[in-house]
Amino acid sequence: MKLDKHNDYYDSYERRSAYRYRQNKRRKRARNQFIVIATVCVILAIAVITGICLAVAGSNSASVATPDTAATPPNSTDLTTVPVTTTASPTTTVAPTKPNTEPNESPEVNPTSPLEPIVTADGRTLDPNKPFLALTFDDGPSTEYTEKVLKILQKYNARATFFVVGSRAENNPDILKDIVNAGCQIGNHTMAHSDLTDQSSSAALAAVEDVNDIIYDATGVNCHIVRPPYGSFDDSVCSTLSAYPLILWDVDTNDWRTGRTKSDIVDCVMDNAHTAAVVLMHDIHKVTMDSVEDIVKGLTEKGYQLVTIDEVYALQGIELLGGTVHN
Ligand code: NI
């Protein structure tokens, strides 16, 4: 009995031990499951938070970059506005725009593409497939010679460009008007014909803009091209005159040199004439004025279209860019 009791007791003890053992085992399993689930949850939470942080950082950097990107178009617009505006001057011709068949095509004219005839503001039709060149006259206007040169040009329905010096131009507004009325173009040759590379930026800019004011007051035309005196320029000049195309030449008659004769000048032009040439002369010398008729007549007989600076580049599909040296 005692033994039975003991056995009973023992049995019940064993059952309780087995129960506790199972309970402990269940608790341990539950705890382990909880730890695993909690660990997974923490990892997922870290992953989600990291993802959100990266997304926020990405959108922040994009919003920082936006102003720079947005600032670019106005700058480029400013640059491109110069030549676009310049082509609207009265002496300027605007090439008929070719139908643009490709929407993504660059707006710049492709010089290799076939160019179409240009109808000028004064009613001329210029053919880019026939010879053409630009005569240019520097250092005037001259009260003695410029009007005579204009008469010869008009006689042959020819055009030229006159790069005037401000100190002469301001006393001769009527000659400036006659240049424009003859369908010719006026260019800027600075106020006092000083080397722009020897001047401060502000002085160089004033040397150009003062002449533009004189030209505008006399003619109502916004002059937009500059020929630096002596053809002298450097990076600083180009930067200072970033609004103005700098126009040089590729045929130099050397008409200013002592002893240069009429036949020297005429032969120089006729021997070196080629399509798109820019010829340098000076309408302040008698020998130059004496040479002009033979030159204009000879070139016209050879089939050359004598055009302005704006036209000579338009015929080539070349856009005149501010701060850039042409020819
Ligand atoms: Ni000069």
Side-chain angles (χ1 to χ4, degrees), residues 138-139 189 193:
D138 286 14
D139 296 2
H189 203 36
H193 205 276

Side-chain angles (χ1 to χ4, degrees), residues 262-297:
K262 173 182 168 180
S263 64
D264 290 338
I265 297 168
V266 174
D267 290 349
C268 175
V269 176
M270 298 311 294
D271 291 348
N272 295 290
H274 60 90
T275 283
V278 176
V279 180
L280 173 61
M281 292 185 279
H282 299 80
D283 53 326
I284 56 171
H285 302 297
K286 183 175 186 300
V287 68
T288 302
M289 192 267 291
D290 289 342
S291 308
V292 169
E293 179 142 19
D294 283 3
I295 291 169
V296 172
K297 185 168 182 283

Side-chain angles (χ1 to χ4, degrees), residues 97-117:
T97 309
K98 283 183 60 186
N100 191 353
T101 51
E102 295 178 27
N104 293 329
E105 196 178 327
S106 166
E108 290 177 9
V109 179
N110 179 0
T112 60
S113 67
L115 293 168
E116 294 177 3

